[in-house]
Amino acid sequence: MRLWLAVFLARAAGWASRVLGHGGSSLPGAVARAIAPSVLQELGRRLPSGAVLVTGTNGKTTTAALAEHLMRRGGRAVLRNQTGANLVLGLTAALIQATGWRLLPRADLALLETDEASVPRAAAELRPRGIVVTNFFRDQLDRYGELTHAVRLVARGLEALDPDGRAILNADDPNVARLGEPLRSEQVVFYGMVAGWGDPEDSPGDVRHCPLCGAELLYRRRFYAHLGEYRCTGCGWQRPPLTVAVEEMDLVHRRVKVRFGDVAAWVPAVLPGTYNLYNQLAAMAWAWSWGMAPDALGEALNDFRPAFGRMERTAVRGREVWFALVKNPTGFNQVLATLAAEPQAAVGLVAINDDYADGRDVSWLWDVDFERWLPRVAVRQWWVSGRRALDMAVRLKYAGVAAEALTIEEDLARALEGAVDSAAGRVYVLPTYTAMLALRRHLTKQGAVRHFRQG
Amino acid sequence: MTRTLTLGHLYPDHMNLYGDRGNVIALVRRAQWRGIDLRVIAIDVGQPVAFDQLDLLFMGGGEDRDQARVAKDFLERGLVLRPYLEAGLPMLAVCGAYQLLGAYYVTADGQRLPGLGFLPVHTVAGARRSIGNVVAEIRPHAEWPPGLAGSTLVGFENHAGQTFLEPGALPLAHVLTGSGNNGQDGTEGAVRQHVIGTYLHGSLLPKNPHLADCLLAWAAARKGWQLDSALDDRLEWSAHRALLRRFHKRGLGGRHP
């Protein structure tokens, strides 16, 4: 009865909040947990195939979206939390949303993008059947303090993995790979790359030392930042053997040959950039471990559409507008690297907010390698916007952007309109998280973006 | 003939948290805009350094693990480095580097780790982190260029260590918003000779161009040069003042030299 009341009142609160025009993505979770603190655990237990958590610094949303797409094509009813509502309250709200009046779930399994800090609690309550870990980069350090802290949080979550569950781990990231050390080998699926678009100029970024003994890591190949094939010069620990691996690339047809166990298949590379290939690999590794055949995976990927803001392309008044979320140096560098491959002249708009979800500290903008990438990106006019527009303007000035090539407009909607109107060709919009939400509200009002709630 | 200055960037691979390399970018650009070629030399663990070839030093903060690794190397250089700092070699030390310039650091489990002892401060590991935007007012120091004392600094702090000034120490600034050194005495950072220790990220120098120029002027003076003052800093000061307005409600004028 208490559980029923919790679900009922939470849904009423969510409904009222939406009617009043608030997003209300975590309010139902707060209401339900106040009434029945074990609500997440109890609703999770009712899911026939249980819950899967997707965590890591970058690529959670894209990975979860790809995994959902694969499962749907495989005929499963999947529930997901709303993009960004990835703390315990958001997860709770997602399960409530998918629960009917008789407290029966309307889904077979829950695919939950989960913030690193929420992983221990979410895992303890949900006993997940799967935990997918994408990567660890320095991100929003004002929230977690340090990188190693995030790694510890996810390690604690893995202790609560269902005994028959699987950890899907990025073997190419030493800090993710180490999470597999205490697990039994049949519990882990390691994914990674044997062939890739390696970038020799790319700096190794955050991790240079063995997570086990602290000695220097030696890379035989790096695909981006600190992701690659490595070996410790001290204790000899090395990248674990790959269960799911990219073995060949076909740049002309944008497809990759992936080995799943001992079966290989060509599958389309559905999104631009190496970082997205890793996300795709994570989703495929998980779907495969769940019983989907390699051929079926490739087939299902053919009609995938990316989530809003993850290098999505849309049209505004006849201009092609590309959106790519930026939230940390590595992600921003990868976006710039992807844009550098586009020769068409374009107008750029960088929108930086500093709300909690964006990270309050904008120091990270100085770790983005604008000095290296801006000369290669075909943007001649830059707009900066958001609450930290001036910080971004100063950053671009010091990266060599002339005052004439820089327009400051703190108001997000006006900046977007201005950038679109001034563009002859494309517009690249690079917002932080809350700036992206605001821009998408604006575009929805204009009717330019449809269906993003499902995105 | 182009004028050249050389900046030693200590441990850029290990002590690189929170965008502190923005400080180096700011110094390089502001020198370049004045026709000075500021060369940057990366100094890594174990690498030999000729301190007499350097005009300026910078060191940032790192994660605990990285910091332990560089601490040993840095302290081993202490005997050689100290006389240069005493003689006026300018240095900016942020966060972990600031702590290492102090007398000692007491870890959470009570261990007392020695520092270089150039700045008369010591640090104690705190139970909770001080995180947030900071607005502070620069305190007087005999070595400041005219107008610097009394002007404002804006930045972002993120530190678990609490730093305390010992008798005779000069704070860099007085905190108007934020915690500063220890959240108790209202001080932020410390300064001695031409060495500035601070907890401020942001990055610090791009949005505080007066402090960047102070370091450059000190470095130039060692060569017997004057720093031409006039740069167009309207953008930098708009960013600075926007942060003052937002994070210091009592409405400072944003006085700057």
Side-chain angles (χ1 to χ4, degrees):
Chain A
M1 182 61 199
R2 199 180 175 83
L3 183 65
W4 189 86
L5 201 65
V7 171
F8 173 74
L9 288 176
R11 293 189 60 155
W15 177 81
S17 159
R18 275 195 301 279
V19 166
L20 293 171
H22 304 292
S25 55
S26 60
L27 177 69
V31 169
R33 293 180 74 90
I35 299 166
S38 64
V39 59
L40 182 61
Q41 192 179 353
E42 294 189 38
L43 293 182
R45 239 186 346 234
R46 287 159 202 257
L47 290 163
S49 295
V52 176
L53 308 184
V54 180
T55 192
T57 312
N58 285 338
K60 290 187 285 282
T61 303
T62 303
T63 302
L66 277 157
E68 177 192 26
H69 179 83
L70 291 172
M71 281 291 112
R72 289 240 160 105
R73 283 289 173 283
R76 301 257 196 164
V78 183
L79 84 89
R80 251 180 79 201
N81 48 336
Q82 240 182 68
T83 300
N86 57 14
L87 307 178
V88 170
L89 292 183
L91 309 191
T92 308
L95 261 72
I96 287 167
Q97 205 56 45
T99 297
W101 294 112
R102 292 151 178 258
L103 294 181
L104 291 177
R106 288 194 283 248
D108 182 31
L109 84 145
L111 200 51
L112 301 168
E113 163 193 341
T114 309
D115 188 88
E116 298 92 291
S118 293
V119 166
R121 182 106 151 265
E125 295 188 14
L126 285 166
R127 292 258 148 196
R129 304 276 178 89
I131 297 183
V132 183
V133 187
T134 58
N135 50 53
F136 289 112
F137 289 103
R138 285 174 180 164
D139 177 28
Q140 304 179 10
L141 289 106
D142 50 324
R143 196 188 314 174
Y144 303 131
E146 293 179 346
L147 173 64
T148 38
H149 182 56
V151 180
R152 275 199 299 273
L153 290 169
V154 175
R156 261 171 53 205
L158 279 163
E159 290 167 15
L161 188 66
D162 182 276
D164 296 322
R166 291 274 187 290
I168 313 295
L169 303 178
N170 186 344
D172 290 0
D173 183 332
N175 273 318
V176 177
R178 77 190 274 199
L179 295 171
E181 287 294 315
L183 301 173
R184 300 192 312 276
S185 64
E186 66 271 22
Q187 284 182 294
V188 186
V189 175
F190 282 115
Y191 64 91
M193 312 224 298
V194 176
W197 297 281
D199 183 348
E201 273 184 67
D202 198 2
S203 107
D206 303 341
V207 181
R208 292 166 194 81
H209 296 102
C210 175
L212 303 184
C213 78
E216 298 269 339
L217 286 177
L218 200 68
Y219 279 82
R220 214 167 78 85
R221 293 207 63 181
R222 276 192 299 104
F223 300 110
Y224 82 94
H226 62 268
L227 273 59
E229 186 185 349
Y230 49 82
R231 188 173 194 288
C232 174
T233 53
C235 66
W237 182 71
Q238 55 184 328
R239 179 175 79 166
L242 303 177
T243 324
V244 174
V246 171
E247 294 197 319
E248 274 183 63
M249 304 277 222
D250 173 358
L251 287 169
V252 179
H253 302 100
R254 296 202 55 79
R255 56 181 194 151
V256 290
K257 188 176 173 187
V258 183
R259 178 176 57 75
F260 299 89
D262 40 24
V263 179
W266 284 97
V267 300
V270 294
L271 292 165
T274 303
Y275 62 116
N276 277 319
L277 186 55
Y278 272 105
N279 298 332
Q280 183 181 336
L281 206 51
M284 291 190 304
W286 173 70
W288 174 74
S289 80
W290 213 263
M292 212 164 161
D295 284 345
L297 285 169
E299 190 66 31
L301 285 166
N302 278 319
D303 60 348
F304 174 75
R305 295 282 165 275
F308 186 94
R310 269 72 181 181
M311 204 54 101
E312 193 200 40
R313 294 158 208 201
T314 181
V316 180
R317 291 200 296 281
R319 267 71 153 204
E320 195 184 334
V321 180
W322 292 30
F323 275 87
L325 181 75
V326 292
K327 52 177 186 170
N328 51 34
T330 307
F332 209 139
N333 283 334
Q334 285 287 308
V335 167
L336 292 173
T338 306
L339 298 183
E342 300 292 327
Q344 294 91 331
V347 168
L349 162 60
V350 187
I352 306 294
N353 275 351
D354 64 352
D355 285 339
Y356 181 76
D358 305 295
R360 295 245 181 242
D361 184 9
V362 296
S363 300
W364 66 275
L365 294 175
W366 292 88
D367 282 327
V368 180
D369 217 345
F370 293 107
E371 282 74 10
R372 175 179 166 207
W373 289 111
L374 289 194
R376 308 187 194 180
V377 173
V379 169
R380 298 288 163 264
Q381 282 293 323
W382 287 96
W383 287 65
V384 293
S385 185
R387 293 203 84 177
R388 289 293 195 138
L390 284 163
D391 284 76
M392 190 60 218
V394 172
R395 179 67 188 97
L396 288 178
K397 174 180 175 181
Y398 280 78
V401 174
E404 312 82 73
L406 194 57
T407 309
I408 302 164
E409 172 53 73
E410 289 190 24
D411 183 87
L412 290 163
R414 278 206 296 268
L416 181 63
E417 295 296 327
V420 167
D421 286 338
S422 73
R426 285 181 183 170
V427 183
Y428 298 136
V429 184
L430 314 178
T432 58
Y433 183 68
T434 67
M436 185 190 77
L437 293 184
L439 286 167
R440 106 180 165 182
R441 271 197 301 275
H442 174 72
L443 280 182
T444 310
K445 263 191 246 158
Q446 314 293 312
V449 179
R450 293 174 298 274
H451 308 310
F452 61 71
R453 274 222 163 220
Q454 292 93 311
Chain B
M1 209 184 79
T2 30
R3 295 180 295 174
T4 301
L5 291 172
T6 308
L7 178 144
H9 186 177
L10 283 153
Y11 318 111
D13 289 341
H14 297 90
M15 304 293 271
N16 61 356
L17 270 187
Y18 311 121
D20 287 333
R21 97 194 172 102
N23 294 315
V24 176
I25 296 172
L27 291 167
V28 168
R29 286 292 192 184
R30 298 184 70 76
Q32 187 192 14
W33 291 332
R34 295 179 165 99
I36 300 170
D37 180 18
L38 180 65
R39 296 195 184 148
V40 181
I41 293 179
I43 304 169
D44 287 316
V45 172
Q47 192 175 314
V49 185
F51 284 109
D52 56 348
Q53 307 287 308
L54 300 180
D55 305 302
L56 191 56
L57 276 173
F58 171 74
M59 181 168 162
E63 291 199 30
D64 287 349
R65 205 171 57 180
D66 289 326
Q67 210 152 301
R69 220 183 298 273
V70 305
K72 186 169 164 291
D73 187 82
F74 183 65
L75 296 180
E76 280 168 9
R77 299 179 191 275
L79 219 58
V80 183
L81 173 60
R82 256 195 96 114
Y84 286 97
L85 299 180
E86 297 284 358
L89 178 65
M91 177 171 182
L92 175 64
V94 179
C95 206
Y98 168 39
Q99 296 171 350
L100 273 174
L101 280 176
Y104 60 90
Y105 181 97
V106 183
T107 63
D109 50 12
Q111 240 184 311
R112 189 168 156 149
L113 308 174
L116 191 74
F118 182 81
L119 292 174
V121 304
H122 68 268
T123 304
V124 180
R128 49 173 276 276
R129 295 186 84 84
S130 303
I131 303 180
N133 287 284
V134 176
V135 175
E137 190 180 276
I138 297 181
R139 303 290 297 150
H141 173 39
E143 298 292 318
W144 290 143
L148 203 66
S151 64
T152 48
L153 289 176
V154 294
F156 193 98
E157 64 182 334
N158 187 343
H159 55 103
Q162 303 206 317
T163 297
F164 297 91
L165 304 180
E166 290 172 359
L170 280 182
L172 165 67
H174 172 75
V175 172
L176 302 171
T177 304
S179 298
N181 280 329
N182 49 50
Q184 296 164 34
D185 62 12
T187 63
E188 157 49 38
V191 57
R192 186 175 156 231
Q193 303 282 56
H194 294 165
V195 176
I196 299 172
T198 178
Y199 276 119
L200 299 185
H201 309 281
S203 300
L204 176 66
L205 295 183
K207 275 167 284 187
N208 296 286
H210 52 337
L211 197 67
D213 285 354
C214 165
L215 285 161
L216 285 176
W218 282 342
R222 283 162 52 87
K223 297 266 197 194
W225 310 335
Q226 285 259 321
L227 199 68
D228 320 321
S229 55
L231 288 181
D232 178 358
D233 286 337
R234 280 173 296 177
L235 187 58
E236 289 86 338
W237 286 113
S238 323
H240 184 107
R241 276 192 296 269
L243 296 172
L244 289 186
R245 277 196 302 275
R246 204 172 137 196
F247 297 116
H248 189 65
K249 302 289 191 257
R250 271 172 288 164
L252 285 167
R255 188 168 85 73
H256 56 84

